[in-house]
Amino acid sequence: MKKITVEMACSINGLIATEDGSEDFLSFRGWEIMLEFLQEYDVLIWGRKTWDNIVSWGEEYINDLKEINIIILSATKNTQNEFSNVTYCNSIETCLEVCKNLKYEKLFISGGATINNAFMEKGIVDNIILNYNPFVLNKGIPLFKGNYFENKLKLEKIVKEKDDIVQVHYSVVKE
């Protein structure tokens, strides 16, 4: 049985980055939390913009991911891949096919807004984990961006994390 989780760090009002894509307001603890969760998953799925941001942060962040299977979703598929643990896919359908072929059963989606939205829109997400950072932005990139969808969620648990982060776990109610 496939398990698909969307996990994101965000401001208390649900923004994952500033309008220009900066995530400087997010605590480093959010990165650590993601890495801890990834120990339980088969693959990390990111959009190309998120991946480009991570790569720009430097070698230390890339080294944290060297043992993690990663799929990058990109409409402009990158054919020059210098990372042996990274696979590029140009659609969610291709991504899901790659996951099936590689026997990835536990998928961890962690951005960006368009990728989060696309998986939610397909109705295949089982869980959402949000790490609310103690910060408010009045403009920026939301958790979900794209075509309209709606889902009812069930609160599973709340965890008070370090750095005043409140982590909220939801399951997606399947009808």
Side-chain angles (χ1 to χ4, degrees):
M1 189 70 143
K2 197 171 292 193
K3 175 183 175 182
I4 300 178
T5 299
V6 169
E7 185 267 356
M8 291 299 297
C10 60
S11 66
I12 64 163
N13 55 325
L15 298 177
I16 61 174
T18 61
E19 286 183 303
D20 67 359
S22 170
E23 299 175 359
D24 291 346
F25 67 93
L26 297 174
S27 166
F28 180 74
R29 179 67 188 133
W31 178 258
E32 295 171 331
I33 290 168
M34 182 195 71
L35 293 173
E36 290 167 13
F37 275 123
L38 284 170
Q39 300 307 306
E40 304 169 26
Y41 287 82
D42 298 322
V43 64
L44 166 62
I45 300 170
W46 272 331
R48 184 195 45 80
K49 290 177 192 171
T50 301
W51 174 244
D52 289 347
N53 279 344
I54 302 301
V55 170
S56 76
W57 295 350
E59 198 66 32
E60 163 187 338
Y61 289 90
I62 298 302
N63 285 337
D64 286 345
L65 300 169
K66 67 182 177 219
E67 302 298 320
I68 308 289
N69 299 313
I70 301 172
I71 293 177
I72 305 302
L73 281 163
S74 174
T76 57
K77 189 174 178 180
N78 182 344
T79 55
Q80 295 179 322
N81 183 7
E82 60 188 278
F83 304 99
S84 61
N85 62 323
V86 175
T87 303
Y88 282 82
C89 294
N90 60 7
S91 70
I92 287 183
E93 291 74 22
T94 305
C95 172
L96 294 173
E97 190 63 33
V98 166
C99 289
K100 181 180 175 185
N101 292 339
L102 294 173
K103 296 184 177 18
Y104 295 157
E105 292 293 317
K106 294 181 176 181
L107 287 55
F108 193 83
I109 291 93
S110 191
T114 304
I115 300 305
N116 296 342
N117 201 93
F119 275 90
M120 288 298 292
E121 189 183 333
K122 285 203 165 299
I124 58 176
V125 173
D126 301 298
N127 302 291
I128 298 175
I129 302 168
L130 300 176
N131 294 295
Y132 289 104
N133 284 247
F135 204 88
V136 177
L137 299 170
N138 76 337
K139 291 183 181 177
I141 300 171
L143 283 162
F144 303 99
K145 183 178 178 184
N147 293 330
Y148 178 80
F149 72 86
E150 57 182 59
N151 284 102
K152 183 174 180 168
L153 306 176
K154 180 178 186 257
L155 179 64
E156 298 294 340
K157 72 177 177 177
I158 299 172
V159 177
K160 184 181 184 311
E161 269 286 345
K162 295 177 191 168
D163 296 344
D164 294 325
I165 294 171
V166 176
Q167 185 178 90
V168 183
H169 295 244
Y170 294 101
S171 58
V172 178
V173 177
K174 308 280 181 158
E175 304 211 15

